[in-house]
């Protein structure tokens, strides 16, 4: 596909999540890049379960949920009219509930699919119509985040180092694309992001595959790296950009923002503000199975009786956020109302 052809393997649509012949195939990011395998989902409930089990992460769940709606259309092919619509509405709720913190965004994804389905309820190829809608939404998202990346380029020096957190997926690919085009000498430092190691396995893989100088550090090396080597800026994507300027992102983002502030390093979040989320109080911070923090790659590292603790996300307050890089420009964290005025009414950018 034209919009993703020059991106790293795991950012290409068919390698994120893809519907075909009654199956949604999702790249298993729990084991990538050590092994390249796919989870094959035969029902939309299995897609929901794959989301809960972290088979795909970052922006991957949005594409998977949209493909899950295509699968629900296949499942309901024997139904007509209102009966089929009710089935799809129930599937939309199931898929949107995959992970609680991003439920608002996920609901916008599934509502977008429902809006398309309502015009084609009795079409035999509704599953393919919804698959194409999912691809169109993905292309729209990539185009939107491409604008974010172009705005981000205003922050980068001709030569410097950027520290990331977790896996920003689309912005990582689009930013790498823009940096290569510009010819700037920009290196990246990626904390590993325990316990699923998304920074080491995903961010570093994408950046390296796209030709950029990439270094992985463990999560407890952030202060030491900044103090001894320096960085130009710290950046992360966001699972939610709240309108009060707080950033909800992979747990650990807050502490890197604190360290960055101590060393006088700016922190810029990237993405599209959630105009219907006033603050993090409007969201439910997902608590993962504590056992996940006691192991890595299926190998447990503690004796029996040791307890784990694993909030999937934390909240970085606006006073630690230098700015938010959006599709409409760069805004101070405390001035996102200006973004809302420029954007006008509209859903999250994964929707139709």
């Amino acid at each position: 596909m034209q919009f993703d052809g020059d991106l790293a393997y795991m950012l290409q649509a068919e390698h994120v999540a893809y519907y075909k012949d009654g199956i949604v195939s999702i790249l298993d990011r729990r084991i990538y890049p050590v092994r390249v395998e796919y989870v094959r989902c035969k029902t939309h409930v299995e897609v929901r379960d794959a989301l809960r089990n972290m088979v795909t992460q970052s922006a991957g769940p949005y594409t998977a949920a949209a493909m899950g709606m295509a699968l629900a259309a296949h499942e309901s092919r024997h139904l007509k009219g209102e009966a089929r619509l009710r089935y799809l509405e129930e599937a939309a709720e199931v898929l949107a509930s995959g992970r609680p913190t991003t439920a608002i965004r996920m609901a916008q994804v599934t509502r977008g699919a429902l809006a398309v389905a309502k015009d084609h309820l009795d079409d035999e190829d509704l599953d393919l119509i919804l698959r194409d809608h999912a691809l169109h939404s993905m292309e729209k998202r990539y185009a939107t985040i491409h604008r974010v990346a172009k705005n981000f380029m205003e922050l980068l020096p001709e030569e410097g180092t950027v520290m990331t957190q977790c896996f920003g997926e689309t912005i990582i690919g689009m930013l790498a694309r823009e940096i290569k085009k510009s010819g700037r000498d920009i290196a990246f430092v990626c904390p590993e992001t325990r316990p699923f190691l998304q920074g080491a396995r995903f961010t570093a893989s994408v950046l390296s595959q796209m030709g950029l100088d990439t270094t992985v550090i463990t999560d407890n090396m952030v202060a030491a790296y900044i103090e001894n080597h320096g960085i130009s800026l710290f950046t992360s994507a966001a699972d939610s950009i709240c309108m009060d300027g707080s950033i909800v992102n992979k747990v650990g983002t807050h502490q890197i923002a604190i360290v960055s502030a101590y060393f006088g390093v700016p922190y810029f979040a990237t993405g599209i503000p959630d105009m219907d989320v006033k603050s993090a109080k409007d969201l439910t911070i997902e608590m993962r199975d504590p056992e996940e923090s006691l192991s890595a790659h299926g190998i447990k590292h503690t004796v029996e009786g040791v307890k784990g603790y694993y909030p999937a996300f934390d909240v970085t307050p606006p006073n630690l956020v230098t700015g938010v890089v959006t599709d409409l420009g760069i805004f101070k964290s405390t001035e996102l109302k200006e973004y809302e005025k420029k954007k006008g009414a509209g859903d999250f950018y994964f929707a139709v």
Side-chain angles (χ1 to χ4, degrees), residues 12-39:
Q12 296 173 13
E14 63 184 302
H15 304 310
V16 177
Y18 196 79
Y19 169 81
K20 184 178 181 180
D21 297 334
I23 294 175
V24 172
S25 299
I26 306 173
L27 177 67
D28 194 342
R29 295 183 177 180
R30 297 169 300 182
I31 57 176
Y32 183 86
V34 177
R35 300 199 307 274
V36 180
E37 297 178 6
Y38 293 80
V39 171

Side-chain angles (χ1 to χ4, degrees), residues 152 162-165 175 188 233-237 266-270:
F152 195 97
V162 174
M163 182 173 287
T164 62
Q165 164 64 350
L175 189 55
F188 282 82
L233 60 85
F234 164 52
T235 188
S236 79
Y267 165 41
F268 289 92
T270 62

Side-chain angles (χ1 to χ4, degrees), residues 3 60 65 147 201 237 305 328:
F3 72 91
R147 293 196 294 273
R201 296 191 295 113
L328 300 183

Side-chain angles (χ1 to χ4, degrees), residues 302-321:
T302 60
V303 298
E304 291 303 322
V306 173
K307 294 182 290 186
Y309 173 70
Y310 185 9
F313 309 97
D314 62 21
V315 182
T316 302
N319 65 297
L320 292 175
V321 183

Side-chain angles (χ1 to χ4, degrees), residues 50-63:
L51 300 181
R52 286 183 174 173
N53 293 331
M54 301 279 278
V55 171
T56 188
Q57 303 132 16
S58 188
Y62 304 114
T63 298

Side-chain angles (χ1 to χ4, degrees), residues 1-278:
M1 300 179 63
Q2 186 174 1
F3 72 91
D4 64 359
D6 63 341
L7 298 177
Y9 181 90
M10 68 181 300
L11 296 183
Q12 296 173 13
E14 63 184 302
H15 304 310
V16 177
Y18 196 79
Y19 169 81
K20 184 178 181 180
D21 297 334
I23 294 175
V24 172
S25 299
I26 306 173
L27 177 67
D28 194 342
R29 295 183 177 180
R30 297 169 300 182
I31 57 176
Y32 183 86
V34 177
R35 300 199 307 274
V36 180
E37 297 178 6
Y38 293 80
V39 171
R40 314 288 182 183
C41 301
K42 297 181 180 179
T43 69
H44 70 274
V45 174
E46 290 182 2
V47 174
R48 187 273 316 275
D49 292 344
L51 300 181
R52 286 183 174 173
N53 293 331
M54 301 279 278
V55 171
T56 188
Q57 303 132 16
S58 188
Y62 304 114
T63 298
M67 293 295 176
M69 289 299 293
L71 179 53
H74 174 77
E75 295 171 62
S76 62
R77 60 193 181 280
H78 60 288
L79 301 175
K80 297 293 183 181
E82 286 299 314
R84 195 175 202 186
L85 178 60
R86 285 195 299 273
Y87 188 93
L88 292 173
E89 288 174 339
E90 291 174 3
E93 291 184 10
V94 167
L95 289 162
S97 69
R99 297 187 66 187
T101 303
T102 52
I104 293 175
R105 288 184 176 184
M106 293 288 275
Q108 292 178 0
V109 172
T110 56
R111 283 202 306 266
L114 275 176
V116 174
K118 286 178 181 178
D119 294 330
H120 302 277
L121 284 174
D122 294 329
D123 286 21
E124 292 183 2
D125 59 348
L126 178 58
D127 58 339
L128 300 183
I129 292 172
L130 291 186
R131 182 190 66 186
D132 290 345
H133 165 73
L135 292 172
H136 172 72
S137 296
M138 189 176 189
E139 183 174 15
K140 178 182 176 183
R141 170 163 56 86
Y142 276 31
T144 300
I145 299 301
H146 185 221
R147 293 196 294 273
V148 176
K150 291 178 83 67
N151 291 331
F152 195 97
M153 293 296 292
E154 298 176 16
L155 303 172
L156 295 180
E158 288 299 315
E159 180 179 351
T161 302
V162 174
M163 182 173 287
T164 62
Q165 164 64 350
C166 200
F167 180 44
E169 187 138 345
T170 317
I171 185 60
I172 293 297
M174 296 302 165
L175 189 55
R177 177 190 278 173
E178 286 301 305
I179 291 171
K180 292 296 291 183
K181 282 170 48 179
S182 74
R184 298 187 201 184
D185 184 10
I186 303 296
F188 282 82
V189 179
C190 308
E192 61 187 348
T193 326
R194 285 272 294 134
F196 281 95
L197 305 174
Q198 296 103 314
R201 296 191 295 113
F202 306 154
T203 305
S205 294
V206 168
L207 291 169
S208 181
Q209 287 173 356
M210 295 184 69
L212 296 178
D213 184 329
T214 308
T215 299
V216 168
I217 60 174
T218 62
D219 291 345
N220 56 350
M221 294 179 183
V222 169
Y225 191 94
I226 295 176
E227 182 174 36
N228 292 303
H229 301 282
I231 60 173
S232 305
L233 60 85
F234 164 52
T235 188
S236 79
D239 290 270
S240 183
I241 299 173
C242 307
M243 292 307 294
D244 68 349
S246 53
I247 303 298
V248 180
N249 194 50
K250 174 69 178 181
V251 66
T253 306
H254 186 189
Q255 66 187 20
I256 300 178
I258 292 171
V259 173
S260 295
Y262 177 83
F263 286 107
V265 173
Y267 165 41
F268 289 92
T270 62
I272 310 305
D274 294 280
M275 292 185 288
D276 52 357
V277 180
K278 293 182 180 179

